[in-house]
Every structure is written in structure tokens, then in C-alpha cells.
């Protein structure tokens, strides 16, 4: 079955670092872009960026450039999203998505179940 | 920055048609995509490239665009269609999501 399996919920404190993961199964992970989408409590969807696991080509949303780091290890079909110093405002659900491009832009045709990150101040 | 506006809420009776609009500058010149997010669940792509349905999405979901507006239509709305709906487009180098619409089936 084609799916994206995300790591479990995290409870952290401000200033701590964090790395969450997303493992792709049932397809050729290295050759499909992976994206990350944030959803803050009670709020809408926000695109964070995308990464191509095959060569780690990464495109960040201007809103998240410098705030997070995306990476991938194609040998274990896993993508990562990490923070060096968390803030309370990072509290949110983070979705891993499979990104496709129809020549007119990116869209997300497969979503993980999300990783809930809670950060206390 | 590019923005996509949606009505905050839409109410519909079971079996009736729900229409959700998404407005953005020159949206008709872009591809619009739609996602359904049921309560407590991850979003699901229901329309891509303005009007195409992914496999497994019921035929009652359809999409269209005209001018600066994209529209998601749910025909014969069912209780399982309740949830939040988001439009999405691509602008220059950025993915933009709409503000979201809560669909309530009364």
C-alpha cells in the first residue's frame, strides 16, 4: 500500500531541538517530491516547502526559509523536518505530503496522518 | 503575496448542492486544486487541475473555474461530506492555500 508514515507526537520546551520523520512505503520514494504542510490549532493549511529525495533539491516557502530544515535519506525512504530551537508558536500539526506537478504548479495527492508538535514556553 | 479567499462557511441540506468559491487574482489562468479535511483527519485531494477527480473520489465532486474564481461543487451532498475544504494554487514559486470553508450538512 502506498502511504506516508509519520513519526509520533512530540512534547517539547521552547529552545529545544526537534526532528520529525516521514517514511514512504509502497512506491519509489527517491523519485517523488515530498512536501511539508503546517496546520496550527484551529487554523488553515500552510505550505512549508518540498524536497526531492533523489538529490535533496529543496524549495522552501519564503515564510519558512531559515526557520526549519528539510532533509531526506533515500536509502531508508525517509524525509525529515527539523528545528534547531523551537518556539511556542511552532505548536501545530505537521503533515508530510507527496507532491506532484502538472506543469502549472505543485499539488499534494497523498497525505500522512500528521505529527502533532506541542511546544511549551 | 498571493491570496486565495473562500467563504468561512457553507450550509447545505442532505441531497442538495453545495458550491464553494475560491477567489484570487487571475486564478482562471492557473490550476486550482481542492482538498477535503474531515474532522480529526488529514486532508484529501478531491479535485486537481481545476476539474479532474483523483481515483476514488465520488462523481458528486466537481470543479470549475471562470475569471478570478474557482468553484468546487458537491452534488447530492451527503453527511460524510461535512468538513473543511481548502482550495490551492501555485503562484510564481509558492504554493498558496485558500482560507478554508467549513461545510455543514444540516
Amino acid at each position: 500500500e502506498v502511504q506516508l508514515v509519520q513519526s509520533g507526537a512530540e512534547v517539547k520546551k521552547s529552545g529545544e531541538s526537534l526532528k520529525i520523520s516521514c517514511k514512504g512505503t509502497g512506491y519509489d520514494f527517491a523519485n517523488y517530491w515530498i512536501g511539508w504542510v503546517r496546520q496550527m490549532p484551529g487554523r488553515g493549511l500552510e505550505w512549508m516547502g518540498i524536497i526531492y529525495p533523489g538529490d535533496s533539491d529543496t524549495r522552501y516557502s519564503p515564510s519558512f526559509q531559515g526557520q526549519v530544515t528539510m532533509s531526506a535519506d533515500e536509502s531508508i525512504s525517509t524525509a525529515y523536518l527539523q528545528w534547531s530551537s523551537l518556539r511556542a508558536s511552532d505548536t501545530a500539526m505537521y503533515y508530510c505530503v507527496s507532491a506532484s506537478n502538472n506543469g502549472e504548479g505543485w499539488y499534494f495527492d497523498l497525505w500522512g496522518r500528521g505529527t502533532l508538535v506541542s511546544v511549551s514556553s | 503575496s498571493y491570496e486565495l479567499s473562500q467563504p468561512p462557511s457553507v450550509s447545505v441540506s442532505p441531497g442538495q448542492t453545495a458550491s464553494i468559491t475560491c477567489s484570487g487574482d487571475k486564478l482562471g489562468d492557473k490550476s486550482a486544486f481542492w482538498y477535503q479535511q474531515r474532522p480529526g483527519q488529514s486532508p484529501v485531494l478531491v479535485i486537481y487541475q481545476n476539474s479532474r477527480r483523483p481515483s476514488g473520489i465520488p462523481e458528486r465532486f466537481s470543479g470549475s473555474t471562470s475569471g478570478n474564481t474557482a468553484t468546487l461543487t458537491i452534488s447530492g451532498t451527503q453527511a460524510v461530506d461535512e468538513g473543511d475544504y481548502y482550495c490551492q494554487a501555485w503562484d510564481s514559486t509558492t504554493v498558496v492555500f485558500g482560507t478554508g470553508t467549513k461545510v455543514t450538512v444540516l
Side-chain angles (χ1 to χ4, degrees):
Chain A
E1 180 185 3
V2 176
Q3 58 180 341
L4 297 171
V5 180
Q6 297 190 235
S7 51
E10 301 276 359
V11 179
K12 307 292 281 186
K13 294 183 178 180
S14 293
E16 292 185 334
S17 62
L18 176 64
K19 192 173 189 178
I20 63 175
S21 66
C22 168
K23 182 177 177 64
T25 64
Y27 73 101
D28 183 8
F29 182 82
N31 291 315
Y32 288 85
W33 290 80
I34 288 287
W36 292 93
V37 175
R38 183 176 79 174
Q39 187 168 38
M40 299 175 75
R43 306 295 294 274
L45 305 174
E46 301 174 90
W47 176 65
M48 302 178 73
I50 51 174
I51 184 168
Y52 188 74
D55 62 7
S56 291
D57 183 7
T58 308
R59 321 278 174 86
Y60 290 98
S61 160
S63 298
F64 291 92
Q65 179 81 48
Q67 307 304 308
V68 296
T69 301
M70 297 177 191
S71 60
D73 184 343
E74 63 173 312
S75 69
I76 55 172
S77 300
T78 301
Y80 302 96
L81 179 66
Q82 68 181 78
W83 295 259
S84 59
S85 180
L86 287 161
R87 307 172 183 176
S89 58
D90 293 318
T91 294
M93 182 72 83
Y94 293 88
Y95 292 103
C96 166
V97 295
S98 175
S100 295
N101 192 313
N102 68 338
E104 296 180 24
W106 296 98
Y107 64 101
F108 310 118
D109 47 12
L110 178 66
W111 294 65
R113 290 192 174 185
T115 294
L116 182 62
V117 174
S118 300
V119 184
S120 60
S121 53
Chain B
S1 60
Y2 194 75
E3 295 180 352
L4 294 173
S5 298
Q6 300 179 233
S9 63
V10 167
S11 296
V12 59
S13 299
Q16 298 305 301
T17 297
S19 295
I20 306 165
T21 58
C22 173
S23 299
D25 186 43
K26 298 180 181 178
L27 182 56
D29 295 338
K30 308 177 188 295
S31 272
F33 308 89
W34 290 92
Y35 303 88
Q36 173 198 63
Q37 186 176 31
R38 292 181 175 135
Q41 297 188 19
S42 302
V44 172
L45 179 71
V46 294
I47 293 289
Y48 69 102
Q49 214 163 305
N50 300 322
S51 58
R52 298 191 172 199
R53 276 180 293 105
S55 71
I57 300 302
E59 291 184 8
R60 64 179 180 273
F61 289 90
S62 62
S64 63
T65 59
S66 179
N68 292 332
T69 302
T71 302
L72 174 69
T73 302
I74 311 173
S75 304
T77 307
Q78 301 180 8
V80 295
D81 299 328
E82 273 205 345
D84 296 322
Y85 289 79
Y86 297 91
C87 61
Q88 179 243 303
W90 168 263
D91 181 63
S92 298
T93 59
T94 303
V95 168
V96 179
F97 286 103
T99 50
T101 298
K102 183 177 184 62
V103 171
T104 302
V105 182
L106 299 171

